Amino acid sequence: MIYTLGIDIGSTTSKGMILKNGSDEIASSIVLAGTGTAGPKMLMEQLYEQSGLKPEDIAFTIVTGYGRKTFQEADDQLSELTCHSKGVSFLFPQVRTVIDIGGQDAKVLALNDQGKMTNFIMNDKCAAGTGRFLDVMAQILQLKIGDLEKEAEKADNPAKISSTCTVFAESEVISQLAMGVDMPNLVAGICQSVASRVAGLAKRIGIHEQVCMSGGVAQNGGVRKALQNELGVPIVYSEQAQLMGALGAALYAYERVMNK
Ligand code: ADP
């Protein structure tokens, strides 16, 4: 039995997955605390508890993500672009475009038919078009991040959020609330705003089917639906979208052990 561990330390969350023999998931966890916090330590504790394994049972560990350089317990590190591509193409071999929206950035990756990344484009300069934008808006509306989808589904006339800057958009949302725009339409407008920003990024690199969404924001059906409309193509995603980087890292760790 060969156990490998993939760790993905993001700006907002820490994620991990343990695989058996490079394919079967033994444990996975997402801790809502990212780099520079106790998140990675809590994550490791949860993974060992879930799997019943000890550190010495793990044959190889690869760490990825924005905070990977702060994590000392791995055997090696790889970029999140490499690991996301690997995780996504393991689950969806037909995917040629990955749209990864995390807590602090958005990336669009072009993959070839081997699942290898050939090009990418990224927004890490501006909170608009990232999970941060949604987190800020959910807070203003006193909603949980996981409830945005439910609200957006009920919309019949999504609000227009014209500000591209998160700070201005925040005032715009507050003033629309004050004018009596209802919650579902406001939330749908917020999801639409993220989708438009990311679609602009994606179109610069070119959209090739299949298109997959990964990262935490992929769990938000409001953003997925708006992005599908913007791009005019269906989007596939996994319930474990937030774990794609950790999965990819654990897969690479297995390849290292097998000397592939
Ligand atoms: P990072 O790797 O940068 O830490 P993630 O890929 O983990 O980021 O994504 C974090 C973002 O995912 C959060 O900012 C939040 O907007 C979104 N998110 C997290 N959980 C959920 C959920 N249950 N439903 C919808 N969106 C979510």
Side-chain angles (χ1 to χ4, degrees), residues 26-215:
I26 297 298
S28 67
S29 184
I30 299 170
V31 173
L32 296 178
T35 186
T37 69
K41 186 170 176 282
M42 283 163 60
L43 175 73
M44 299 298 280
E45 285 166 9
Q46 291 184 7
L47 289 170
Y48 288 128
E49 197 188 313
Q50 241 186 68
S51 62
L53 296 174
K54 297 188 197 66
E56 55 269 29
D57 298 325
I58 306 291
F60 207 88
T61 301
I62 288 187
V63 64
T64 185
Y66 177 75
R68 65 183 178 277
K69 296 199 168 66
T70 61
F71 187 84
Q72 309 299 337
E73 294 150 60
D75 298 299
D76 204 357
Q77 49 168 286
L78 284 174
S79 88
E80 59 258 49
L81 297 167
T82 309
C83 291
H84 264 267
S85 310
K86 184 79 168 175
V88 168
S89 57
F90 179 75
L91 292 185
F92 302 104
Q94 303 304 323
V95 164
R96 299 292 170 266
T97 309
V98 182
I99 299 178
D100 169 33
I101 315 182
Q104 188 169 275
D105 59 22
K107 309 179 190 84
V108 184
L109 285 56
L111 306 188
N112 65 16
D113 55 10
Q114 310 291 310
K116 289 270 181 300
M117 190 184 71
T118 53
N119 198 2
F120 82 98
I121 190 164
M122 168 155 150
N123 159 32
D124 62 351
K125 298 281 181 282
C126 166
T130 74
R132 178 82 190 131
F133 184 86
L134 296 162
D135 298 343
V136 167
M137 298 306 165
Q139 211 173 356
I140 296 173
L141 301 175
Q142 295 181 334
L143 291 171
K144 292 201 201 86
I145 195 73
D147 291 340
L148 296 181
E149 167 171 354
K150 256 193 330 232
E151 288 296 328
E153 261 169 23
K154 293 183 268 179
D156 52 7
N157 182 23
K160 291 239 168 338
I161 313 288
S162 53
S163 306
T164 46
C165 167
T166 306
V167 179
F168 292 136
E170 197 174 338
S171 341
E172 204 179 326
V173 164
I174 292 169
S175 86
Q176 296 216 28
L177 259 183
M179 285 187 312
V181 175
D182 69 14
M183 193 66 89
N185 286 323
L186 208 42
V187 172
I190 289 165
C191 292
Q192 176 62 48
S193 159
V194 171
S196 312
R197 296 281 295 198
V198 178
L201 200 65
K203 283 175 188 162
R204 276 163 58 193
I205 208 168
I207 303 297
H208 300 283
E209 290 190 69
Q210 271 178 335
V211 177
C212 177
M213 259 187 94
S214 71

Side-chain angles (χ1 to χ4, degrees), residues 2-4 19-25 90 247 250-251 254-255:
I2 294 171
Y3 298 105
T4 56
L19 290 181
K20 185 176 83 184
N21 298 332
S23 58
D24 303 339
E25 182 184 320
F90 179 75
L247 168 62
L251 288 167
Y254 181 71
E255 291 186 4

Side-chain angles (χ1 to χ4, degrees), residues 10-13 15 101-104 131-132 135 145-146 215-217 219-220 242:
S11 62
T12 317
T13 58
K15 285 97 33 183
I101 315 182
Q104 188 169 275
R132 178 82 190 131
D135 298 343
I145 195 73
V217 175
Q219 297 167 96
N220 181 331
Q242 209 168 356

